[in-house]
Amino acid sequence: MSARPKGERVFRGIGVSAGVCRGKVLVLHRARRVIVRREISDDGIAPEVTRFEKALAQTRKQISEVQHQVIQKMGAKEGDIFEAHLLMLEDRMLVDEVIRIIRDQKLGAEYAFHEVSDRYVGALAAIEDEYLRERAGDMRDLTVRVLDNLLEVKNDLDLRHLTEPCILVSHDLSPSMTAQLDKNVVIGFATDIGGHTSHTAIMARSLGIPAIVGLQNVTGELESGDYALLDGYNGSFIVNPTDQSLFEYGQLAKIKASLEEKLREIKMQPAVTLDGKNITLSANIEDQNDIEAVQSGGAEGVGLFRTEFLFISRATMPTEEEQYKVYRQVAAALKPNPVVIRTIDLGGDKFSSHLQMAKEMNPFLGWRAIRFCLAQPEVFRSQLRAILRASVEGNVKIMYPMISGLDELQQANALVEKCKDELRAENIPFDEKMQIGAMIEIPSAALIADVLAQFVNFFSIGSNDLIQYTLAADRTNERVSHLYEPTHPAIIRLIKITVDAAHKHGIWTGVCGEIAGDPILAPLLVGLGVDKLSAAPSLIAPVKYIIRRLKLSEAQSLADFACQCQSPSEIQARCQQLARDTAPSLFEKS
């Protein structure tokens, strides 16, 4: 066997929690659980079901204890992460399927549960939406806990005993394991798998621990005691760093610290260009737990409230009253800033078990978003009434996803008017002047924007879908992801058509896709005439920083070039050049 190389080695992953740290590595290897296919007798069925139910109860108690510790240590939002685990334990489809296998196939509970949970993990891991795909990690965490309780074994990765500062390296690090971390001892961590939206990544950011995920097989390449440098900004994990690397990353840490101070200083300042053009920067959120992030991130309200997550992350359909309380809580906390609520965007890669949505050959071109809502008027009506009732706060706006033509828009508007009539008859107050918007995510909608603009108060360009529908390129498909180009001339022209049509009819246009949170592309959007940008709360400050150092005239010159240029790469290069010239410190070593 050849000796491990002693020189500097660099592994590349996904930086999910900012910061640079260096120190000795501790590689964690979880013992593999051996699940035996154990047959049971008829008399053993009832005791086996009872044993399974006791293991679920024990797991529920353990998770609740972890949740309580996290709430005390990090806050309510981080504690809510474990609601997903608790909901999985209450999923009757999962529980009943395990019990069915125990009874019908006369198999032991641990084997039955392992079979069913494996299928759940596989289904979640195959979903294209990153947020939902990362829930597979939650399911793995839950599976290990239940199996440990069924097999009556102790968790072999108790991290609370650690005393020496170290960088943890593991195949995965579950949210419940992350909750044990003491950031005075664990100075950083790196994992083989995971993504930016995993609950482990979210908790690392809350703890302020630099972290990298998605390093593939780093656990197989390292040994405990190795010395490493972890760059959570850029996703670089350097083993046996040279003196030069240590010096360079020492400088990077200083530069980033200086930039973070500058970002803190401008967080609550307006996003106004040097020549006086004001751009509204708002936040994309998923539920009421994001309120604090919106406020502390310097966003001007909410530009995209993704309400489907209220439907996905629970075992039953949310009632009108439950939805109303959430919508009003957000609106009340953020007023007078606006809260733009998107109606349910289920379908595609976002599903809800209690709505029994059938599988489709091509779900992104199928029964989703506004199409689903119009075909399920009672579900839609319940949500519209809840939003209207919350609009009494005076700052609520509503928008429909995936509008493809005028007929859909008019049907949705008609149902809103019907709900208004119902509320008036019931003497329930609402905002009679609540604004209604349409999302421009399909090329057909952009091309008839001048028609749609006559029936709404604003447009919101969902750039993620607009790009993939226009270019017929799924960015999560490695074979065609290179075709997913935000600076493709067709995308530039569709955005320009939409903005011009809106302004012609006296309404505003926002962008709420990923390009809105990209400091490199934000100047292009400003130059194209976009009035509002909406991004993740953590991305608001960098976009605001560059806008406050930009001249509108520079942005317009960039947009003029982009509208005439035929090459996506040339447009991208010009965007990068302007961004780096305008705010060089944003792009140091990134």
Side-chain angles (χ1 to χ4, degrees):
M1 183 177 176
S2 60
R4 289 178 183 272
K6 294 299 182 183
E8 178 177 283
R9 289 184 290 160
V10 181
F11 300 87
R12 304 286 182 188
I14 305 167
V16 295
S17 185
V20 174
C21 63
R22 56 183 179 174
K24 286 187 176 181
V25 164
L26 175 62
V27 182
L28 301 178
H29 295 287
R30 180 185 287 278
R32 188 173 181 83
R33 301 286 180 249
V34 178
I35 309 300
V36 178
R37 190 177 189 276
R38 180 173 53 87
E39 296 183 357
I40 58 176
S41 65
D42 289 342
D43 292 342
I45 291 174
E48 201 69 16
V49 170
T50 299
R51 192 168 75 90
F52 173 57
E53 291 174 339
K54 283 183 178 178
L56 293 181
Q58 187 177 355
T59 305
R60 191 176 299 111
K61 182 173 181 290
Q62 291 167 346
I63 292 173
S64 295
E65 288 171 355
V66 171
Q67 183 181 43
H68 179 68
Q69 292 167 9
V70 169
I71 289 171
Q72 290 195 321
K73 187 176 179 181
M74 287 180 256
K77 181 179 178 182
E78 286 72 20
D80 281 345
I81 283 171
F82 293 93
E83 287 299 323
H85 294 62
L86 294 170
L87 283 167
M88 288 173 184
L89 285 172
E90 303 295 337
D91 187 333
R92 288 313 310 176
M93 289 179 65
L94 183 151
V95 174
D96 290 346
E97 178 66 7
V98 174
I99 293 174
R100 186 192 66 75
I101 291 175
I102 294 172
R103 287 176 173 161
D104 295 355
Q105 299 182 35
K106 299 179 185 176
L107 294 172
E110 58 273 12
Y111 183 84
F113 178 73
H114 184 260
E115 284 287 295
V116 175
S117 63
D118 245 18
R119 291 204 298 269
Y120 269 62
V121 169
L124 286 167
I127 293 173
E128 293 183 354
D129 181 273
E130 184 188 9
Y131 179 88
L132 295 175
R133 190 169 62 246
E134 290 297 347
R135 301 295 72 78
D138 296 332
M139 189 68 202
R140 290 189 195 96
D141 188 15
L142 182 70
T143 299
V144 169
R145 281 189 170 276
V146 174
L147 288 174
D148 282 355
N149 288 326
L150 280 168
L151 297 168
E152 297 183 357
V153 298
K154 282 191 173 183
N155 189 324
D156 52 328
L157 290 180
D158 187 342
L159 305 179
R160 289 169 291 189
H161 69 279
L162 298 177
T163 56
E164 296 293 322
C166 65
I167 298 174
L168 286 184
V169 177
S170 176
H171 176 69
D172 192 13
L173 202 60
S174 69
S176 54
M177 289 167 63
T178 310
Q180 302 175 30
L181 302 184
D182 178 349
K183 64 180 181 180
N184 295 315
V185 178
V186 177
I187 58 175
F189 71 77
T191 63
D192 291 335
I193 65 173
H196 198 271
T197 59
S198 67
H199 280 154
T200 299
I202 292 169
M203 294 182 72
R205 291 192 287 273
S206 296
L207 286 166
I209 298 176
I212 304 174
V213 301
L215 286 160
Q216 297 186 343
N217 189 36
V218 72
T219 51
E221 297 289 334
L222 302 185
E223 294 178 347
S224 292
D226 285 343
Y227 190 81
L229 185 151
L230 186 152
D231 169 16
Y233 294 109
N234 304 300
S236 298
F237 191 66
I238 305 174
V239 182
N240 301 324
T242 63
D243 289 344
Q244 180 63 28
S245 291
L246 292 172
F247 172 76
E248 288 176 359
Y249 276 96
Q251 295 300 108
L252 173 63
K254 292 178 183 178
I255 291 168
K256 291 295 184 181
S258 174
L259 174 61
E260 285 167 10
E261 179 59 32
K262 292 176 183 175
L263 294 181
R264 278 193 295 272
E265 289 173 359
I266 58 98
K267 266 187 179 180
M268 299 306 164
Q269 300 298 315
V272 57
T273 65
L274 293 174
D275 42 3
K277 173 64 175 177
N278 189 77
I279 304 296
T280 300
L281 295 185
S282 52
N284 299 339
I285 69 168
E286 289 159 10
D287 57 35
Q288 70 275 27
N289 297 311
D290 292 324
I291 291 172
E292 194 278 330
V294 176
Q295 294 170 325
S296 63
E300 297 176 68
V302 172
L304 171 61
F305 188 153
R306 299 184 178 101
T307 60
E308 56 273 10
F309 290 97
L310 301 179
F311 290 73
I312 292 169
S313 59
R314 52 181 294 142
T316 58
M317 177 84 75
T319 65
E320 175 187 322
E321 189 66 22
E322 288 173 322
Q323 292 184 70
Y324 158 70
K325 287 179 179 177
V326 172
Y327 304 150
R328 185 161 187 180
Q329 180 183 349
V330 174
L334 298 177
K335 69 179 183 183
N337 287 322
V339 173
V340 180
I341 300 177
R342 179 175 73 183
T343 57
I344 320 168
D345 188 10
L346 287 173
D349 54 9
K350 296 188 285 289
F351 59 89
S352 180
S353 60
H354 52 78
L355 290 175
Q356 300 296 313
M357 297 176 74
K359 289 185 178 179
E360 298 179 300
M361 288 291 291
N362 198 336
F364 281 98
L365 300 181
W367 198 52
R368 58 168 293 204
I370 196 65
R371 302 169 183 181
F372 167 81
C373 290
L374 294 176
Q376 298 284 321
E378 284 308 305
V379 174
F380 198 24
R381 173 180 168 273
S382 175
Q383 182 176 42
L384 292 177
R385 283 176 55 97
I387 294 171
L388 282 165
R389 290 170 59 194
S391 74
V392 74
E393 294 292 341
N395 60 331
V396 170
K397 306 177 194 294
I398 187 173
M399 65 182 181
Y400 315 125
M402 205 180 168
I403 291 293
S404 64
L406 182 59
D407 187 51
E408 289 169 337
L409 179 56
Q410 290 181 322
Q411 286 184 57
N413 281 345
L415 191 51
V416 170
E417 291 304 317
K418 184 177 178 181
C419 290
K420 286 182 177 180
D421 289 340
E422 291 174 0
L423 294 175
R424 291 188 193 102
E426 297 168 30
N427 291 317
I428 297 176
F430 63 90
D431 181 4
E432 292 278 1
K433 296 181 180 179
M434 182 187 72
Q435 289 194 348
I436 294 176
M439 291 196 70
I440 306 297
E441 303 173 276
I442 303 176
S444 63
L447 292 171
I448 61 165
D450 59 329
V451 175
L452 301 179
Q454 300 171 54
F455 298 89
V456 292
N457 303 109
F458 64 92
F459 286 145
S460 183
I461 298 173
S463 60
N464 297 355
D465 272 341
L466 183 63
I467 295 168
Q468 80 165 355
Y469 285 136
T470 303
L471 304 179
D474 177 2
R475 60 182 171 158
T476 66
N477 183 330
E478 293 181 1
R479 293 183 177 181
V480 298
S481 59
H482 65 284
L483 298 173
Y484 184 93
E485 297 178 297
T487 53
H488 191 289
I491 304 302
I492 306 299
R493 294 177 190 183
L494 289 174
I495 293 173
K496 183 63 173 168
I497 288 170
T498 302
V499 170
D500 289 350
H503 291 172
K504 178 182 175 183
H505 290 278
I507 67 174
W508 55 268
T509 298
V511 175
C512 61
E514 286 189 12
I515 61 175
D518 186 342
I520 289 175
L521 297 179
L524 174 60
L525 297 175
V526 171
L528 289 169
V530 170
D531 305 289
K532 301 187 180 186
L533 301 174
S534 190
S538 61
L539 301 177
I540 298 296
V543 173
K544 185 179 291 187
Y545 183 79
I546 197 165
I547 288 175
R548 287 175 58 85
R549 282 156 179 75
L550 179 72
K551 288 183 180 178
L552 177 60
S553 57
E554 295 171 330
Q556 289 172 333
S557 294
L558 173 63
D560 289 343
F561 168 80
C563 288
Q564 300 299 319
C565 186
Q566 299 176 358
S567 168
S569 59
E570 287 182 23
I571 297 172
Q572 177 73 21
R574 186 69 70 92
C575 290
Q576 289 176 336
Q577 188 62 54
L578 176 59
R580 292 178 186 278
D581 289 346
T582 302
S585 58
L586 273 182
F587 306 101
E588 293 283 351
K589 277 275 190 178
S590 60

